[in-house]
Amino acid sequence: MAASEKNYRPETILVHGGTLRSQFNEMSEALYLTQGYIYESAEACEARFSGKIPGYVYSRYSNPTMSMFEQRMAQLEGAEASRSTATGMAAVTTALMGQVKAGDHIVAAKALFGSCRWVIEDWLGRFGVTSTLVDGADLNQWKNAVTKNTKVFFMETPTNPTLEVYDIQAVADIAHNAGATLTVDNVFATPLYQSPLKLGADCVVYSATKHIDGQGRVLGGCILASEKFIMDNVHNLIRQTGPSLSPFNAWVLLKGLETLPVRVERQTKSAAAIADALAGHKKLTRLIYPGRKDHPQADVVAKQMKAGSTLVSFEVKGGKEGAFRFLNGLKLTGITNNLGDSKSLITHPTTTTHQRLTPEQRAELGIGDGLVRFSAGLEHQDDLIEDLLTALDKV
Ligand SMILES: *Cc1c(COP(=O)(O)O)cnc(C)c1O
């Protein structure tokens, strides 16, 4: 199904988009576990290598099952081009490294997934790429951080774990005025709830490990942008350095995409009901849910997101001790650092994903020792509410 055939709605694209069929006309997407390809003649091989005749050359570059996943993601996102990667971090690292060289400068929001922050501050720093981290909700800080060498703006929204929401359109405008580009990590919103490219971003990255697989099976990632952006920044870097997605994982992710809307809608409905059931609870000092009127950036949520989130964050009274008592009191919800799964999961950022930061850095991000991040799964919402309320009684 070519994107140009008809403007299908996301649910339809997710079942049919990008499907290629072999001579056997299989119904479901075929899994091509092949590294390489055979040519009918030496001349055909030469033409394929020089790019004169299109086609697959080597699976580090591309493979029919990877292509199906990339095409389906591109149609869903409304992107001209996409490339799949082995993990979400491979997508972030490739998208950022592809855009910069020694001497360049990156502006990023402080509230980032721990590994993204490490890539920007520690890893890229080794190659002479400098960075400034800002409060993503404060547009003046983005503006003031610009230097003559600024090439890339980077943000994640909603953020992990405090679910802050940043104005993509406004930040993209500031980036473009400075001659820079904006890359958005759209994992928490999913491609269903937020379309950064339509809001002016130049590049979108995903960890497909989260909602896109959504059933705890494989790792994967994806980079989406214009054809020119991909060819200038991403194409050669993936081909030559090899952060490529396994065809088997691409196949699992394709099947994950088919059920993405059904899962994410149900998980969001449960998360919203849980947020309402827990808001104002006497054992909590704070609850954050994009989609509630009391969210600090409710106006931005209304402007750029189609719905809230599958995640709810809240602060349990009594700091780390209170949070641990609560976590250990849960029967149904799994203690983990993952999210976006059909099983409900909970994370204590201070001792896991954000352990690397100093207490002062965490305080600056609003990550108190009692903060937990809950990811709603596909269980019945009343079972989840009972689980959470029973565990809060133990605090
Ligand atoms: C999980 C995650 C990543 C990294 O993805 P992996 O697939 O684990 O490499 C990046 N950004 C965000 C926001 C994430 O949640």
Side-chain angles (χ1 to χ4, degrees), residues 86-90 92 112-113 115-116 156 158 160 185-188 206-210 219-221 338-339 373:
T87 63
M89 283 320 302
V92 171
L112 287 181
F113 183 74
S115 298
C116 297
E156 171 190 320
N160 176 35
D185 179 336
N186 206 35
V187 168
F188 275 44
Y206 287 101
S207 164
T209 313
K210 311 295 166 53
L219 298 166
N338 207 355
L339 65 100
R373 184 196 74 199

Side-chain angles (χ1 to χ4, degrees), residues 238-253:
I238 290 186
R239 287 168 78 115
Q240 313 302 352
T241 67
S244 322
L245 180 63
S246 133
F248 178 78
N249 291 4
W251 178 77
V252 173
L253 295 170

Side-chain angles (χ1 to χ4, degrees), residues 15 69 74 80 126 136 144 152 154 163 174 203 206 209 225 227 242 247 262 264 286 289 314 325 355 377 383 395:
V15 177
F69 172 66
E80 281 175 14
R126 285 201 210 172
N144 295 336
V152 178
F154 182 73
L163 307 178
I174 298 169
C203 177
Y206 287 101
T209 313
E227 182 71 26
V262 181
V264 168
R286 184 158 77 116
Y289 184 69
F314 46 90
R325 237 179 246 252
Q355 191 181 36
D383 287 331
V395 175

Side-chain angles (χ1 to χ4, degrees), residues 105-109 120 130-134 141-142 144-147:
H105 176 246
I106 297 179
V107 184
I120 290 171
T130 56
S131 57
T132 306
L133 298 185
V134 300
Q141 289 199 22
W142 289 98
N144 295 336
V146 169
T147 71

Side-chain angles (χ1 to χ4, degrees), residues 71-348:
Q71 284 303 312
R72 198 169 284 179
M73 285 296 296
Q75 288 182 24
L76 176 63
E77 195 72 40
E80 281 175 14
S82 80
R83 292 292 184 275
S84 54
T85 55
T87 63
M89 283 320 302
V92 171
T93 308
T94 304
L96 291 178
M97 284 199 96
Q99 296 184 73
V100 293
K101 60 178 186 328
D104 287 345
H105 176 246
I106 297 179
V107 184
K110 276 185 200 128
L112 287 181
F113 183 74
S115 298
C116 297
R117 190 158 163 164
W118 183 86
V119 166
I120 290 171
E121 284 195 294
D122 298 60
W123 176 248
L124 288 174
R126 285 201 210 172
F127 304 99
V129 176
T130 56
S131 57
T132 306
L133 298 185
V134 300
D135 172 353
D138 182 348
L139 295 177
N140 281 323
Q141 289 199 22
W142 289 98
K143 260 183 228 151
N144 295 336
V146 169
T147 71
K148 66 179 191 329
N149 297 326
T150 304
K151 289 281 154 52
V152 178
F153 278 34
F154 182 73
M155 66 151 78
E156 171 190 320
T157 178
T159 64
N160 176 35
T162 52
L163 307 178
E164 285 185 39
V165 175
Y166 303 147
D167 190 330
I168 296 173
Q169 181 102 61
V171 175
D173 287 347
I174 298 169
H176 296 155
N177 282 334
T181 59
L182 171 64
T183 296
V184 176
D185 179 336
N186 206 35
V187 168
F188 275 44
T190 83
L192 299 171
Y193 289 169
Q194 183 170 272
S195 304
L197 297 178
K198 294 196 181 87
L199 295 164
D202 302 278
C203 177
V204 182
V205 290
Y206 287 101
S207 164
T209 313
K210 311 295 166 53
H211 301 87
I212 293 172
D213 172 34
Q215 291 152 86
R217 300 164 297 189
V218 301
L219 298 166
C222 196
I223 306 171
L224 299 118
S226 68
E227 182 71 26
K228 179 168 168 26
F229 184 102
I230 294 286
M231 292 314 291
D232 288 352
N233 305 303
V234 176
H235 180 78
N236 281 325
L237 190 55
I238 290 186
R239 287 168 78 115
Q240 313 302 352
T241 67
S244 322
L245 180 63
S246 133
F248 178 78
N249 291 4
W251 178 77
V252 173
L253 295 170
L254 270 166
K255 303 312 286 178
L257 281 174
E258 290 185 341
T259 58
L260 181 73
V262 181
R263 288 183 284 109
V264 168
E265 270 164 39
R266 254 282 292 286
Q267 288 168 258
T268 303
K269 216 172 125 246
S270 294
I274 288 162
D276 289 342
L278 262 51
H281 191 286
K282 62 180 192 302
K283 299 284 176 67
L284 302 183
T285 50
R286 184 158 77 116
L287 179 137
I288 318 143
Y289 184 69
R292 271 179 65 85
K293 287 203 181 63
D294 57 11
H295 186 278
Q297 293 91 32
D299 53 332
V300 187
V301 175
K303 194 170 77 165
Q304 74 184 26
M305 296 185 71
K306 289 203 188 80
S309 175
T310 62
L311 296 131
V312 190
S313 291
F314 46 90
E315 191 148 358
V316 181
K317 276 190 183 160
K320 178 180 165 186
E321 202 191 321
F324 273 28
R325 237 179 246 252
F326 166 66
L327 293 182
N328 292 332
L330 292 164
K331 291 265 182 306
L332 193 54
T333 308
I335 301 170
T336 179
N337 46 290
N338 207 355
L339 65 100
D341 200 80
S342 56
K343 295 179 172 55
S344 287
L345 304 172
I346 199 153
T347 304
H348 184 245

